[in-house]
Amino acid sequence: MLKLHNLSKMYRTDEVETVALDSVNIEINTGEFVAIMGPSGCGKSTLLNIIGMLDSPSSGQYIFRDEDISDYAESRRSHIRKKNIGFIFQSFNLIDELTVAENIELALLYHNLPGKERKERVNDVMDKIGIAHRAKHMPSQLSGGQQQRVAVARAVVGNQGLILADEPTGNLDSAHGQEVMEMLRVLNDEGSTIVMVTHSPAHADYARRTINLFDGRVVTENLRAVG
């Protein structure tokens, strides 16, 4: 699905140059579940932002679905991103003034779908994620675990093939965190490619492969045995 080749990211000010990613080489295949781990400040979120086309590399190649997008302008990256990538954030990023159903439907407004089809997709995904009974509730009326369920539903309602999760359990207690991880595992079993940043070794164990970063470089990759 995607390949990073000698990819680097630098942030420059007048006096300081910070290397966030240093010659990273990663390949992620369709249908994989990959966890990215490492200490704070090692480049995990920068890597996820580049994979998610929210940022561009300073050098190197980013091949997405056989297309080199490394030098694409933001407008062109945005078009590809909306068609292909769903995001799950630690802080949920729900809109307080919208209901659960409206928050989920918001992700479909870029897809030029008729209103009836949007409603059908929203209802289907709410049933699948187990939040249909909360459709008319506002985010403030939900628990943290329920809010993250809404965020997961929003990420998958557009049938994007790639889901990027940035510390998706970071604001949840252990029970709700495990629920979210089980949902991600089911989505992966159903064909979604998932790339997740996490600090939790237990949650990384849900992934098939773990990539460890240190100081902006890939230091190890571990493949989990199946069975």
Side-chain angles (χ1 to χ4, degrees):
M1 172 174 273
L2 65 92
K3 183 176 182 180
L4 311 180
H5 179 65
N6 287 338
L7 187 140
S8 296
K9 179 65 179 181
M10 300 177 188
Y11 296 100
R12 294 182 177 91
T13 65
D14 290 341
E15 299 178 356
V16 179
E17 179 178 273
T18 302
V19 179
L21 296 173
D22 186 6
S23 300
V24 169
N25 291 284
I26 292 174
E27 188 166 353
I28 295 173
N29 297 314
T30 300
E32 275 201 282
F33 190 161
V34 177
I36 300 172
M37 300 190 73
S40 296
C42 71
K44 300 187 302 295
S45 293
T46 299
L47 177 60
L48 204 68
N49 285 341
I50 289 177
I51 291 174
M53 305 179 200
L54 298 171
D55 201 354
S56 56
S58 301
S59 61
Q61 282 186 304
Y62 178 9
I63 310 296
F64 184 80
R65 297 192 186 278
D66 299 321
E67 186 175 358
D68 188 347
I69 66 166
S70 312
D71 297 323
Y72 281 8
E74 160 58 22
S75 58
R76 197 168 178 187
R77 292 201 314 270
S78 176
H79 178 72
I80 298 171
R81 180 174 67 238
K82 289 170 183 175
K83 290 175 57 180
N84 292 281
I85 303 175
F87 293 88
I88 304 170
F89 301 98
Q90 177 178 343
S91 56
F92 315 137
N93 285 7
L94 303 179
I95 297 177
D96 292 338
E97 294 77 18
L98 300 181
T99 65
V100 164
E102 289 167 343
N103 265 284
I104 298 169
E105 186 178 1
L106 194 63
L108 294 175
L109 297 182
Y110 308 110
H111 292 255
N112 297 320
L113 297 173
K116 182 180 179 182
E117 185 175 347
R118 290 202 308 269
K119 301 293 185 186
E120 289 173 352
R121 283 208 197 182
V122 170
N123 289 334
D124 287 346
V125 79
M126 286 193 300
D127 285 336
K128 180 178 180 180
I129 301 297
I131 52 170
H133 62 299
R134 299 287 189 180
K136 295 183 180 180
H137 285 68
M138 311 301 285
S140 61
Q141 297 174 296
L142 307 179
S143 69
Q146 289 168 337
Q147 289 188 57
Q148 195 61 298
R149 282 178 176 267
V150 178
V152 171
R154 182 185 56 194
V156 303
V157 70
N159 295 326
Q160 288 94 335
L162 175 61
I163 299 173
L164 302 182
D166 191 358
E167 296 283 1
T169 62
N171 283 339
L172 304 176
D173 59 34
S174 58
H176 287 120
Q178 188 170 345
E179 283 182 14
V180 169
M181 293 310 304
E182 292 291 348
M183 277 192 288
L184 292 179
R185 177 151 61 188
V186 169
L187 292 169
N188 179 243
D189 289 343
E190 293 175 349
S192 294
T193 305
I194 299 175
V195 181
M196 174 184 69
V197 164
T198 182
H199 279 103
S200 168
H203 293 163
D205 281 344
Y206 280 81
R208 181 75 176 88
R209 180 161 55 112
T210 301
I211 297 172
N212 291 284
L213 295 183
F214 187 77
D215 285 348
R217 300 179 70 94
V218 175
V219 289
T220 59
E221 289 195 46
N222 303 308
L223 196 64
R224 185 174 61 83
V226 176

